Amino acid sequence: PVKAPDDPTAPARAHNKDLDVHVAEVFLRGSSEALRTRFTTVKGFTQLLRRHVELASIDDDRLETLTQHLEREVVAFEDTLVPLLHVQELQWRPDALHFEPLDLHELTGSVISQYSAALTGQHALRVEQNGPVFGRWDAAWVSEAVSALVSNALKYTPNGGEIRIGVRRSTAMGCVSDN
């Protein structure tokens, strides 16, 4: 019998697998710590709010302040949790991505139009286009990413500000800017 030669790529593949495991562990450790911090903060604000309600000692300004803190923490909680859910989905369902030929300008424009319809003059949304950007994209994931970027821009742009959204063909890079 002839012995098959050893696979010369085996050490590199084993190293890459070890590196992948290490990166995953670091990501999970950091995400877990962030989630614990957010959970503790939300729990604390909720307990404080309940105490004020039980004692009937809360005024409108204090209620507004506590509500704003809770809303910020819930958004931060979501920002931490969503990437974990995506990683989990891709790990257990590698077929979760559905790449199809799409124009990023068209896809971005459809997401922006949803926001534009809901705005009440507080912000101006401008889509900067320099022609189509064709490629194979997962429409749901790209839409979610654009939506998250626009949502954050709306959250942190002062009322009356302008938010510009663009996709550049040269690098197929999206950008969101505000003033």
Side-chain angles (χ1 to χ4, degrees):
V2 176
K3 181 181 175 203
D6 291 334
D7 180 359
T9 64
R13 284 187 291 120
H15 174 73
N16 285 344
K17 185 176 181 181
D18 290 343
L19 184 61
D20 288 346
V21 168
H22 175 71
V23 168
E25 288 172 351
V26 169
F27 175 70
L28 287 174
R29 189 172 32 250
S31 297
S32 296
E33 184 61 35
L35 285 171
R36 181 182 17 229
T37 300
R38 297 298 176 204
F39 178 76
T40 302
T41 304
V42 168
K43 185 177 177 183
F45 280 124
T46 303
Q47 290 169 342
L48 184 60
L49 185 58
R50 176 169 297 287
R51 190 174 311 125
H52 280 296
V53 168
E54 287 173 353
L55 297 174
S57 66
I58 193 162
D59 60 57
D60 288 345
D61 290 338
R62 183 71 176 145
L63 180 61
E64 179 64 25
T65 299
L66 286 172
T67 303
Q68 288 174 355
H69 285 304
L70 278 169
E71 286 174 341
R72 272 196 305 272
E73 288 302 317
V74 167
V75 167
F77 208 121
E78 180 183 36
D79 289 347
T80 304
L81 189 58
V82 167
L84 283 172
L85 294 173
H86 287 315
V87 167
Q88 186 269 336
E89 182 178 10
L90 289 175
Q91 183 179 18
W92 295 105
R93 290 188 47 230
D95 63 336
L97 293 174
H98 303 287
F99 294 103
E100 57 186 306
L102 294 170
D103 175 8
L104 277 183
H105 278 295
E106 187 177 312
L107 186 59
T108 301
S110 69
V111 173
I112 301 310
S113 68
Q114 295 170 9
Y115 278 95
S116 295
L119 291 177
T120 57
Q122 300 163 347
H123 300 89
L125 286 177
R126 303 281 182 256
V127 178
E128 298 173 353
Q129 296 187 2
N130 63 353
V133 178
F134 293 108
R136 294 185 56 78
W137 315 99
D138 182 290
W141 282 52
V142 172
S143 295
E144 186 176 330
V146 171
S147 183
L149 289 169
V150 173
S151 177
N152 283 337
L154 289 170
K155 210 179 332 178
Y156 297 110
T157 301
N159 284 343
E162 179 181 77
I163 300 166
R164 293 175 304 280
I165 299 99
V167 179
R168 292 184 177 86
R169 182 184 358 216
S170 61
T171 58
M173 176 184 78
C175 66
V176 175
S177 61
D178 55 38
N179 53 353

